[in-house]
Amino acid sequence: MSTPLLEVQHLTMRFGGLTAVDDLSFTAREREITALIGPNGAGKTTVFNCLTGFYRPSAGTMILHRGGRKYQLERMEGHRVARIAGVARTFQNIRLFVGMTLLENLIVAQHDELMRASMFSVAGLFGFSPYRRAEKAAVQKARYWLDRLELTASADLPAGGLSYGDRRRLEIARAMCTGPTLLCLDEPAAGLNPRESDRLNELLLSIRDQHRIGLLLIEHDMKVVMGISDHVVVLDYGKKIADGKPVEIQHDPAVIRAYLGEPEPSFETEPSASPRDEDR
Amino acid sequence: MTAEAGVAAPHRALPKSFAWGALVKDAAIGAAVALVLAVPLVGFRVVEINGDVTLTTRFTWVGIGVVSVFVGRLALGLWRGSRPAERKRSGALVAPLSRFGRRHATGVAWAGIGFAAILQFLPFTTRGTVDLATEILTYVMLGWGLNVVVGLAGLLDLGYVAFYAVGAYSFAITATTFGLSFWEALPIAGLLSALAGILLGFPVLRLRGDYLAIVTLGFGEIIHILLQNWTSLTGGPNGIGNIPRPGLFGLVFAASAPPGETTFHQFFGLDFSPSQRIDFLYYVVLALALIVNLFTLRLRRLPIGRAWEALREDEIACRALGINPTNVKLSAFAIGAMLGGFAGAFFATRQGFISPESFTFVESATILAIVVLGGMGSQMGVVLAAMVLVLLPELRFLAEYRMLIFGAAMVLIMIWRPGGLLSHRAPTILLHGARRP
Ligand SMILES: Nc1ncnc2c1ncn2[C@@H]1O[C@H](COP(=O)(O)OP(=O)(O)OP(=O)(O)O)[C@@H](O)[C@H]1O
Ligand SMILES: [Mg+2]
């Protein structure tokens, strides 16, 4: 088993009277895909927003290990979480820079390095060679991802013109261009057709195997979750109800109850719009 | 709504389901709005006869207005309903122009610069032409500066005139009190304006869209009021006079040189003519504008410029990529303000006299109109729009209707080309084809 990358302890997030995340603890590891699942409104996206500095949690700690150092994410601003701790994310409702080209999207993700290479624009303004080299390197990195997504031909077209599946994958590539230690993906397979979904699985598995990072995955599609994740955390009403290997989760009675009410479990179908009118 | 359905019909006759009811209702609503507006604006009039103030009414005018709105709206509805949608025709005049401009952007730019450079030697050029061209170029500079804030970073700034004013006044004050020349005081003016930009930037960092617009509008007014009332520094409503003119490497443009200096015409053995100074000022602003253009074009292709555009597109995504939105916004405000400050300094040196009257909201609105009309983010668009907005009121028979035409042009352009005259966005970097202008 690899070393822990992210340790979440007693994370709690309240919105007024609503406790969206309730005393949640879990661990994510390097070179593993940790899936965060749960019915609609379980608080999954809220966990991501806490992790990436968009929300300040009401209680709890989130510790990220990077290069032998520990970062307390709950104390950092959003942009520093991404830049310094290396937590990159995608959004449930894709957030690309739609007016900018694919290449530009991937270059903007490397802002920090380029900004330093351009000496806050001074060196860049005069086109000094260290900056030109840095820009070339950035283009190369972007090119690597474009090749990998098989989108190289559309590199100079606006991202807004991409198909839905390609947008999702470009958003992932953009997050990867920041050079993250932890990649958080919010429902990357939502709205994809089976073929696109397979390509996504391939991409995620190859990221896991080829880059030394951990992946945190929110997903409703059980085929994806069961197919590629190494470790699953199940949330219901903000509380963790199960935590373990996919096979264990599949047969956990508490999970089955949360997803389907009382009767038979059936993970072969996709319980993406899960019924949750049962009382609490 | 139903009238719209008729759009799909291939023939020109009115479709059977043509909704007269909806049409009449629409026209009636238009007329009602006209009535509500016209009664107070047109209906009543205060007249002064021999010192007595009386109120007269002009309800016939109101009636004419309301009826013409009703008829016009009805006619518009009929016209729309009866003809098939011809989307492609919209902006028939401008679209091919802009396509041409896009394809031959560099060529058009060089042609423009060449024309500007030899303008003075063209046969039809008079002193007035040069003056007008100088004014256009000042607005072009301002437009390019504001373009950084509004067009690239997407921060709606309604108080841009504030930085124009800060630049003009800091130049005027440093030049008159410390005896600095134009070229020495210019960087100081830019720096102080940039500082003002950062000062304004801080409180508005959290604001977006409408809220930002209102606060910047307020900032413009605050600066205006400050200029009017801080008499000891700014001279209040009397303004500041005797602002030094720029010289050319120590040569002054005057009939006779002050002791210890040489005049331009003496040095070159020419006869003195006041137009030498005007021509020189024109070249100064042309050079400044070109520098501003190069500077902003270059910045746009640097990480900072891409961050501006990314911020305009999606601030949240920027944060998730480790970009600090605060720094990006502040840098946009600072750079935009600095360029406005340069324009202000030039304005001050050209006029030789400045007062708060030159820095009112109308200026902000004009500069913003230039950016929006030109096409947000488009350098060439700004030039085009600045020409239109400065030249239109120059047509003598239109002078009285300046504001009316201004408004009508805005409305028409927003209908035909919502993105502005030239709304094409060129990528800042290309993977294929090393075509990097
Ligand atoms: N900013 C907020 N203010 C108030 N309530 C919020 C806020 N964000 C989330 N919530 C509430 O917290 C709960 C959890 O929401 P969250 O978006 O985390 O669910 P989710 O598990 O991501 O659901 P889904 O699968 O639908 O995306 C919901 O009841 C939601 O209404
Ligand atoms: Mg969610």
Side-chain angles (χ1 to χ4, degrees):
Chain A
M1 193 168 257
S2 51
T3 48
L5 181 64
L6 171 75
E7 291 173 85
V8 174
Q9 267 151 21
H10 307 294
L11 180 70
T12 302
M13 181 78 215
R14 289 187 206 94
F15 297 110
L18 175 85
T19 308
V21 178
D22 194 354
D23 197 27
L24 171 71
S25 303
F26 69 92
T27 307
R29 291 169 192 282
E30 205 174 273
R31 291 181 194 263
E32 272 192 15
I33 296 181
T34 306
L36 195 58
I37 67 170
N40 287 110
K44 307 177 297 290
T45 301
T46 307
V47 172
F48 269 28
N49 284 338
C50 291
L51 277 174
T52 49
F54 282 88
Y55 293 160
R56 183 128 304 178
S58 317
T61 57
M62 300 171 289
I63 295 170
L64 188 102
H65 300 266
R66 183 189 211 190
R69 297 190 55 175
K70 283 186 189 179
Y71 296 95
Q72 290 204 285
L73 302 184
E74 73 277 3
R75 297 201 182 153
M76 296 167 76
E77 278 176 86
H79 63 92
R80 299 187 73 237
V81 169
R83 195 171 67 236
I84 295 167
V87 180
R89 73 174 289 181
T90 66
F91 293 87
Q92 195 166 349
N93 45 346
I94 313 171
R95 285 181 175 275
L96 288 173
F97 306 120
V98 288
M100 301 172 83
T101 66
L102 273 58
L103 181 65
E104 284 174 317
N105 268 272
L106 299 183
I107 300 257
V108 168
Q110 304 173 56
H111 177 78
D112 186 42
E113 280 159 63
L114 285 174
M115 198 64 185
R116 265 185 281 130
S118 78
M119 284 164 46
F120 304 94
S121 305
V122 179
L125 218 46
F126 298 106
F128 290 157
S129 68
Y131 172 70
R132 285 212 307 270
R133 264 202 305 277
E135 197 187 60
K136 218 173 251 167
V139 172
Q140 230 144 46
K141 191 168 178 182
R143 167 109 206 202
Y144 165 80
W145 284 103
L146 287 168
D147 285 344
R148 208 149 153 187
L149 303 187
E150 291 164 30
L151 288 175
T152 316
S154 344
D156 297 330
L157 301 177
L162 287 180
S163 74
Y164 193 76
D166 285 341
R167 280 194 219 188
R168 285 246 179 244
R169 295 186 325 136
L170 182 67
E171 204 192 11
I172 295 172
R174 189 181 67 179
M176 285 304 294
C177 278
T178 63
T181 40
L182 178 70
L183 176 63
C184 305
L185 305 163
D186 199 342
E187 301 199 19
L192 301 194
N193 63 36
R195 212 182 121 254
E196 288 173 329
S197 185
D198 286 344
R199 285 176 71 173
L200 178 80
N201 285 359
E202 258 167 57
L203 178 69
L204 296 185
L205 286 174
S206 70
I207 288 176
R208 179 191 68 180
D209 297 337
Q210 293 167 16
H211 300 264
R212 287 196 53 199
I213 67 166
L215 281 90
L216 200 56
L217 170 75
I218 293 181
E219 193 45 73
H220 275 304
D221 187 335
M222 284 306 145
K223 243 177 70 197
V224 175
V225 172
M226 296 305 154
I228 66 170
S229 55
D230 301 291
H231 171 198
V232 182
V233 176
V234 190
L235 279 186
D236 190 24
Y237 289 110
K239 283 205 178 67
K240 185 167 91 174
I241 56 168
D243 185 342
K245 294 217 175 317
V247 252
E248 296 162 17
I249 297 299
Q250 234 164 341
H251 301 293
D252 190 310
V255 177
I256 295 162
R257 220 175 305 123
Y259 264 92
L260 301 171
E262 290 306 322
E264 281 294 286
S266 158
F267 279 113
E268 269 67 61
T269 57
E270 297 173 20
S272 50
S274 49
R276 61 169 322 162
D277 32 74
E278 79 263 42
D279 49 324
R280 259 204 102 180
Chain B
M1 284 288 132
T2 330
E4 294 270 325
V7 156
H11 52 85
R12 285 222 162 203
L14 292 185
K16 285 204 189 82
S17 61
F18 202 74
W20 280 102
L23 215 56
V24 171
K25 191 172 150 201
D26 174 65
I29 290 173
V33 172
L35 182 70
V36 170
L37 288 176
V39 167
L41 291 179
V42 181
F44 296 101
R45 188 162 183 228
V46 180
V47 244
E48 194 185 313
I49 306 163
N50 305 330
D52 287 339
V53 176
T54 50
L55 194 67
T56 58
T57 58
R58 297 189 293 187
F59 288 134
T60 341
W61 287 39
V62 175
I64 294 171
V66 170
V67 169
S68 40
V69 166
F70 184 83
V71 173
R73 188 80 208 168
L74 204 62
L76 188 71
L78 282 174
W79 181 63
R80 271 201 197 140
S82 66
R83 60 196 272 285
E86 287 176 46
R87 277 246 144 259
K88 275 191 215 120
R89 274 203 47 191
S90 65
L93 182 72
V94 195
L97 251 179
S98 99
R99 209 170 320 120
F100 177 82
R102 202 181 314 158
R103 257 192 225 128
H104 309 278
T106 355
V108 172
W110 280 112
I113 293 170
F115 177 77
I118 58 159
L119 177 72
Q120 318 214 301
F121 308 108
L122 297 178
F124 56 83
T125 303
T126 61
R127 192 186 146 165
T129 326
V130 177
D131 258 338
L132 213 57
T134 308
E135 194 178 336
I136 291 176
L137 283 172
T138 313
Y139 276 108
V140 166
M141 248 176 104
L142 285 166
W144 281 338
L146 184 61
N147 208 359
V148 168
V149 185
V150 180
L152 295 182
L155 303 163
L156 186 52
D157 184 349
L158 290 184
Y160 193 63
V161 73
F163 308 123
Y164 188 37
V166 170
Y169 271 87
S170 32
F171 168 66
I173 292 166
T174 46
T176 50
T177 26
F178 305 112
L180 295 183
S181 76
F182 175 73
W183 300 107
E184 290 158 348
L186 185 69
I188 298 177
L191 218 65
L192 288 176
S193 303
L195 215 64
I198 292 175
L199 274 183
L200 165 68
F202 266 114
V204 303
L205 280 174
R206 311 176 64 96
L207 304 178
R208 300 225 84 203
D210 316 357
Y211 301 99
L212 178 68
I214 289 170
V215 175
T216 51
L217 179 72
F219 189 72
E221 287 307 297
I222 289 171
I223 292 280
H224 184 74
I225 291 169
L226 208 69
L227 296 180
Q228 290 236 325
N229 295 292
W230 194 351
T231 323
S232 58
L233 185 71
T234 67
N238 297 330
I240 300 177
N242 289 327
I243 301 169
R245 308 298 188 150
L248 177 70
F249 299 113
L251 302 177
V252 294
F253 289 88
S256 58
E261 293 184 43
T262 323
T263 64
F264 176 79
H265 65 100
Q266 281 171 341
F267 187 85
F268 286 100
L270 303 167
D271 291 329
F272 172 72
S273 135
S275 73
Q276 281 162 0
R277 196 185 72 214
I278 292 172
D279 290 352
F280 177 64
L281 277 172
Y282 171 75
Y283 281 118
V284 168
V285 75
L286 183 62
L288 283 177
L290 286 178
I291 290 169
V292 166
N293 182 34
L294 278 181
F295 180 68
T296 48
L297 277 181
R298 186 93 216 176
L299 277 183
R300 189 175 163 251
R301 279 195 264 277
L302 287 180
I304 184 74
R306 295 200 193 101
W308 287 337
E309 290 198 77
L311 186 82
R312 177 192 69 203
E313 301 254 327
D314 196 326
E315 184 174 339
I316 289 179
C318 279
R319 248 193 298 167
L321 295 175
I323 297 173
N324 183 349
T326 308
N327 292 349
V328 177
K329 282 187 199 174
L330 283 182
S331 64
F333 270 121
I335 301 270
M338 182 180 79
L339 300 180
F342 288 148
F346 174 78
F347 175 79
T349 196
R350 177 184 175 219
Q351 302 287 320
F353 164 80
I354 49 170
S355 74
E357 261 166 63
S358 309
F359 307 102
T360 55
F361 171 68
V362 177
E363 286 299 307
S364 287
T366 309
I367 305 164
L368 187 66
I370 287 173
V371 174
V372 175
L373 282 183
M376 304 245 259
S378 160
Q379 302 286 97
M380 204 79 91
V382 164
V383 179
L384 217 62
M387 279 172 29
V388 171
L389 286 190
V390 175
L391 290 181
L392 260 188
E394 287 304 315
L395 303 171
R396 290 280 161 253
F397 60 100
L398 291 179
E400 242 182 285
Y401 305 105
R402 176 179 180 183
M403 277 313 183
L404 200 66
I405 289 166
F406 194 90
M410 278 296 227
V411 170
L412 289 181
I413 288 190
M414 288 302 117
I415 289 174
W416 280 328
R417 294 189 69 80
L421 288 173
L422 303 177
S423 53
H424 171 69
R425 177 187 179 275
T428 58
I429 186 168
L430 291 171
L431 189 63
H432 305 297
R435 191 165 49 86
R436 293 188 59 186

